[in-house]
């Protein structure tokens, strides 16, 4: 789960990571009010979307409006908010479609002396949480990793003990913090590590972490991604979810208890079990096809879930064929067949359907589908299913 910058900064405050004073606004008037209450000399107005790159990104409706604006008065903050709210922000991370801006963060602006990068993630290779830091902040860490990998420092963190103070200080020193700033910077790295571990985050990032003209250190941007599989033990964070920012089909699937990830191909896949779902996507790729999604209806899929899965797959306008690939282990093929037949009858199938049923009650399931009014291509093997689905989608 992703959250907004203003929400992540609230969590930073709880961990005593210094962030600029500010508040969220849903309308230009509110933005003005927040600015008036801050009473600063300069303000930063920042579009709140679940994607980065806002500083360089621009509104689709007006490319001269960026996702971050620096202004001098509350009236200008109101105008900057009006130029962002209700507009579509396109950044490197949003793709061409962009994201609708529905709220802005209004902050006291900071006079920047230096921009650095600090983040935490899980390093799969060492199987440990890792602090990632660089004296060259501001630009995207992905680009920096490609162009100047030597400028990135990685430091593994003990998942139980956290980031040791002496290591945090060594990191601060290596990043070029002055003697007087070392303890403050180290404290921020340790707090970030504490937050990351306690929140079961998959990513916690400060980009940029800045040194201000007056020598203070502050987090000017904040990003926290939570591990969905651990959200059940963070009821306080679950409320930070913003469904408006999520893929509507993925949100619908989550509600129905279906694992669904939207991909960019045109063959809709309905599969049970994550392993088989991945194998299905792989074999489509092997034969030159492209899956429109990863969809796992779950081990003990009910007819109702199959129906939901169909609705989700057909909700994607790019889908030109559907491949139902089920292995009946705990799930029974006859129940899946029943779900397919009722769902197809109710929703009305607008694209060709390929079905492969194997395992428990497969014979019965196949017979039910054959005897139904559905126009279905049956497949006995993975390869046959992939070939037929690709042919049905009109690519070969
Ligand atoms: P992102 O582009 O989505 O990552 O948004 P950021 O919050 O990182 O802002 C982008 C850039 O805007 C930062 O790297 C800063 O250079 C600049 N910026 C953001 N807030 C301020 C501020 O208060 N003062 C100044 N001078 N620059 C800021
Ligand atoms: Mn940033």
């Amino acid at each position: 789960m992703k959250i907004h910058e203003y929400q992540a900064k609230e969590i930073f405050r709880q961990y005593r990571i210094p962030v600029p004073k500010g508040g969220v606004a849903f309308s230009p008037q509110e933005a003005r009010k927040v600015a008036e209450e801050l009473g600063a000399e300069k303000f930063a107005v920042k579009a709140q979307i679940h994607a980065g790159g806002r500083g360089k990104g621009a509104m689709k409706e007006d490319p001269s409006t960026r996702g971050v604006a620096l202004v001098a008065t509350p009236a200008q903050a109101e105008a900057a908010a009006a130029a962002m709210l209700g507009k579509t922000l396109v950044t490197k991370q949003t793709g061409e479609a962009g994201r609708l801006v529905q709220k802005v963060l209004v902050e006291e602006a900071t006079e920047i002396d230096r921009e650095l990068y600090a983040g935490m993630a899980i390093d799969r290779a060492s199987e440990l949480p890792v602090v990632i830091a660089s004296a060259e902040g501001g630009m995207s860490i992905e680009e920096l990793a490609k162009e100047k990998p030597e400028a990135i420092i990685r430091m593994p963190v003990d998942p139980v003990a956290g980031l040791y103070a002496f290591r945090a200080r060594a990191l601060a020193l290596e990043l070029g913090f002055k003697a007087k700033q070392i303890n403050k910077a180290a404290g921020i790295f340790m707090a970030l590590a504490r937050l990351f571990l306690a929140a079961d985050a998959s990513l916690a990032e400060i980009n940029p972490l800045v040194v201000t003209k007056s020598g203070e250190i502050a987090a000017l941007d904040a990003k926290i991604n939570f591990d969905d599989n651990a959200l059940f033990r963070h009821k306080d964070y679950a409320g930070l979810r913003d469904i408006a920012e999520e893929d509507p089909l993925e949100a619908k699937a989550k509600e129905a208890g279906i694992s669904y990830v939207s991909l960019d191909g045109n063959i809709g896949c309905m599969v049970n079990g994550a392993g088989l779902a991945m194998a299905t996507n792989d074999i489509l790729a092997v034969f030159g096809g492209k899956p429109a999604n990863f969809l796992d209806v779950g081990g003990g899929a009910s007819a109702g879930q199959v129906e939901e899965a169909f609705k989700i797959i057909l909700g994607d306008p790019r889908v030109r064929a559907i491949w139902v690939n089920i292995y009946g282990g705990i799930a029974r093929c006859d129940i899946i067949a029943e779900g397919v037949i009722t769902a197809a009858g109710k929703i009305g199938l607008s694209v060709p359907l390929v079905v492969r049923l194997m395992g428990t009650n497969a014979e019965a399931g196949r017979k039910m589908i054959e005897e139904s009014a559905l126009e279905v291509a049956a497949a006995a093997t993975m390869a046959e299913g992939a070939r037929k689905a690709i042919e049905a989608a009109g690519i070969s």
Side-chain angles (χ1 to χ4, degrees), residues 47 49 57-63 65 83-91 94-102:
I49 57 168
M59 304 299 155
K60 215 178 213 171
E61 295 83 357
D62 172 15
T65 304
M84 293 178 193
L85 288 164
K87 305 291 192 304
T88 312
L89 177 54
V90 180
T91 79
T94 62
E96 265 174 55
R99 286 286 174 82
L100 180 68
V101 181
Q102 290 175 298

Side-chain angles (χ1 to χ4, degrees), residues 5 9 20 42-47 49 51-57 67-70 89 91 93 107-112 115 137-139 205 207-208 210 220-222:
E5 175 192 7
K9 279 181 168 164
K42 261 186 165 184
F43 306 93
V45 179
K46 308 177 73 176
I49 57 168
R54 296 161 300 164
K56 291 195 179 111
V68 176
L70 294 177
L89 177 54
T91 79
Q93 290 182 16
E107 285 184 338
E108 197 174 71
T110 306
E111 298 271 6
I112 302 174
E115 291 189 83
M139 86 154 147
E205 193 181 67
N207 188 25
V210 304
L220 275 212
D221 193 5

Side-chain angles (χ1 to χ4, degrees), residues 253 256-261 269-278 293-301 305 309 313 325-326:
I258 296 166
S259 306
Y260 171 89
V261 180
C269 299
M270 192 179 100
V271 188
N272 68 330
L276 185 57
M278 283 195 272
N293 61 270
F294 167 100
L295 190 155
D296 170 12
V297 280
Q305 262 172 319
I313 292 174
N325 190 14
I326 298 289

Side-chain angles (χ1 to χ4, degrees), residues 151-167:
I152 297 175
I153 306 166
R154 285 161 203 276
M155 184 177 273
V157 172
D158 185 313
V160 178
L163 179 61
Y164 294 112
F166 77 93
R167 301 206 71 184

Side-chain angles (χ1 to χ4, degrees), residues 255-322:
E255 241 160 67
I258 296 166
S259 306
Y260 171 89
V261 180
S262 165
L263 302 170
D264 52 15
N266 60 4
I267 299 169
C269 299
M270 192 179 100
V271 188
N272 68 330
L276 185 57
M278 283 195 272
T280 301
N281 289 5
D282 283 347
I283 199 151
L284 280 173
V286 167
F287 284 96
K290 275 194 165 176
N293 61 270
F294 167 100
L295 190 155
D296 170 12
V297 280
S302 65
Q305 262 172 319
V306 170
E307 190 179 326
E308 268 315 301
F310 257 104
K311 281 189 199 155
I312 290 162
I313 292 174
L314 287 170
D316 178 351
R318 296 163 311 175
V319 167
R320 301 233 302 266
I322 298 179

